[in-house]
């Protein structure tokens, strides 16, 4: 299975936006790209009272996937905005990890490449003591860490990369979201330099904030172009093609 697992230093950092942007760019390059958000929490109810994941809907739109495509993008979405292991207990749901892994593999067979979005950060518990890191290892995918260049990001990013390496996970690099293109100062520049030096990881992109992009309302306008301009799509593609 060829693909990439997108994790981050925290929740609300930009995993969905970056995953959508990479998917849109790959789609525009003519690649048969699939997207997976295996587990989600903080789900909302649609008109038919079904629990839906805004992340999954955004990713499907960004990747230009047809609603008739029979592959599961999201295996399970829980309503409480809690880590899945806790959201599941609160909802009286047992999370079947082997089934979720099987769904990811199914998507991996259906598409040429897949992008898998994690939940929270790399140590977020998905079910009991099974963490996001366990899922990345089981899928055998390389990971990209999404972070921001704000105060505290050096610590969060270097720790995430070190934990991934300790767990034997291949880290392709780091993507900085919300990069202030015109106004980056000493905070942003030093954060970038320290992350590169201390983690030993390449920076695979500096993605700007765009008002026209929004996960909750499903706005994906211009993502492919933005991704080509600000992310190292060719390098990301090469990582996806290296089988583990
Ligand atoms: N580069 C960006 N431009 C515009 N909005 C963004 C950008 N990155 C993130 N956001 C917004 O910030 C919020 C958190 O981003 P999201 O990708 O959902 O984070 P995560 O998946 O890590 O929880 C969302 O509402 C999203 O629309
Ligand atoms: Mg998300």
């Amino acid at each position: 299975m060829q693909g990439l697992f997108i994790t981050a230093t925290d929740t609300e950092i930009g995993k969905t936006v970056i995953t959508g942007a990479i998917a849109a760019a790959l789609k525009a390059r003519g690649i048969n790209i699939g997207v997976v958000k295996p587990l989600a929490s903080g789900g909302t109810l649609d008109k038919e009272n079904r629990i839906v994941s805004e992340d999954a809907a955004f990713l499907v739109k960004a990747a230009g996937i047809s609603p008739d495509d029979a592959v599961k993008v999201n295996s399970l979405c829980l309503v409480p905005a809690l880590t899945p292991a806790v959201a599941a207990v609160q909802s009286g749901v047992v999370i079947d990890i082997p089934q979720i892994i099987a769904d990811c593999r199914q998507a991996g067979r259906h598409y040429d490449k897949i992008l898998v979005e994690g939940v929270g950060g790399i140590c977020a518990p998905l079910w009991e003591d099974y963490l996001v890191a366990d899922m990345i290892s089981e899928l055998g995918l390389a990971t990209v860490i999404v972070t921001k260049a704000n105060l505290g990001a050096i610590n969060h990013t270097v720790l995430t990369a070190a934990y991934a390496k300790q767990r034997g996970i291949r880290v392709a690099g780091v993507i900085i979201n919300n990069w202030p293109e015109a106004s980056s100062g000493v905070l942003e520049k030093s954060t970038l330099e320290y992350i590169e030096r201390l983690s030993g990881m390449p920076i695979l992109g500096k993605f700007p904030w765009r008002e026209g992009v929004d996960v909750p309302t499903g706005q994906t306008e211009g993502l492919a172009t933005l991704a080509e301009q600000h992310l190292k799509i060719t390098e990301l593609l090469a990582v996806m093609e290296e089988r583990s």
Side-chain angles (χ1 to χ4, degrees):
M1 170 163 88
Q2 289 194 354
L4 200 56
F5 194 103
I6 316 298
T7 189
T9 48
D10 201 353
T11 189
E12 292 286 306
I13 292 292
K15 290 183 299 295
T16 310
V17 167
I18 298 298
T19 307
I22 300 170
L26 294 178
K27 174 85 177 177
R29 286 191 184 197
I31 292 162
N32 179 22
I33 185 78
V35 283
V36 188
K37 171 83 189 185
L39 261 171
S41 55
T44 51
L45 294 177
D46 71 3
K47 282 180 229 140
E48 279 96 44
N49 253 11
R50 285 177 308 207
I51 305 168
V52 287
S53 157
E54 287 173 348
D55 284 11
F58 181 90
L59 295 179
V60 163
K61 196 170 169 200
I65 290 172
S66 148
D68 315 327
D69 229 339
V71 169
K72 259 189 212 155
V73 172
N74 172 240
S75 298
L76 179 65
C77 183
L78 298 151
V79 172
L82 297 164
T83 198
V86 181
V89 172
Q90 293 290 312
S91 312
V93 169
V94 171
I95 299 186
D96 185 350
I97 295 289
Q99 182 57 53
I100 291 173
I101 296 286
D103 289 344
C104 291
R105 293 203 191 287
Q106 168 70 19
R109 281 191 295 273
H110 187 79
Y111 299 100
D112 290 343
K113 294 174 180 36
I114 56 166
L115 294 169
V116 185
E117 184 194 337
V119 186
I122 198 164
C123 285
L126 297 179
W127 176 243
E128 297 180 334
D129 292 344
Y130 186 96
L131 311 180
V132 167
D134 295 302
M135 179 171 275
I136 305 174
S137 298
E138 211 172 331
L139 292 173
L141 295 175
T143 190
V144 164
I145 301 167
V146 180
T147 188
K148 288 186 181 176
N150 55 357
L151 198 56
I154 299 171
N155 178 59
H156 294 148
T157 315
V158 174
L159 284 176
T160 300
Y163 183 75
K165 277 192 220 166
Q166 185 197 315
R167 295 290 315 268
I169 295 166
R170 206 154 46 98
V171 184
V174 173
I175 291 176
I176 316 277
N177 187 30
N178 197 9
W179 178 257
E181 290 164 294
S183 61
S184 61
V186 66
L187 166 67
E188 292 82 11
K189 286 176 184 154
S190 60
T191 298
L192 201 74
E193 281 167 23
Y194 263 109
I195 287 174
E196 264 188 304
R197 193 158 77 243
L198 298 180
S199 73
M201 293 294 136
I203 306 290
L204 294 173
K206 291 178 277 180
F207 200 84
W209 190 268
R210 282 289 183 272
E211 287 307 328
V213 173
D214 192 55
V215 174
T217 54
Q219 290 184 69
T220 60
E221 287 262 325
L223 271 184
T225 310
L226 276 174
E228 287 289 355
Q229 285 168 345
H230 301 282
L231 303 179
K232 296 190 175 173
I233 297 298
T234 302
E235 279 90 331
L236 288 162
L237 194 52
V239 173
M240 295 173 85
E241 283 166 355
E242 282 168 27
R243 284 176 192 275
S244 57

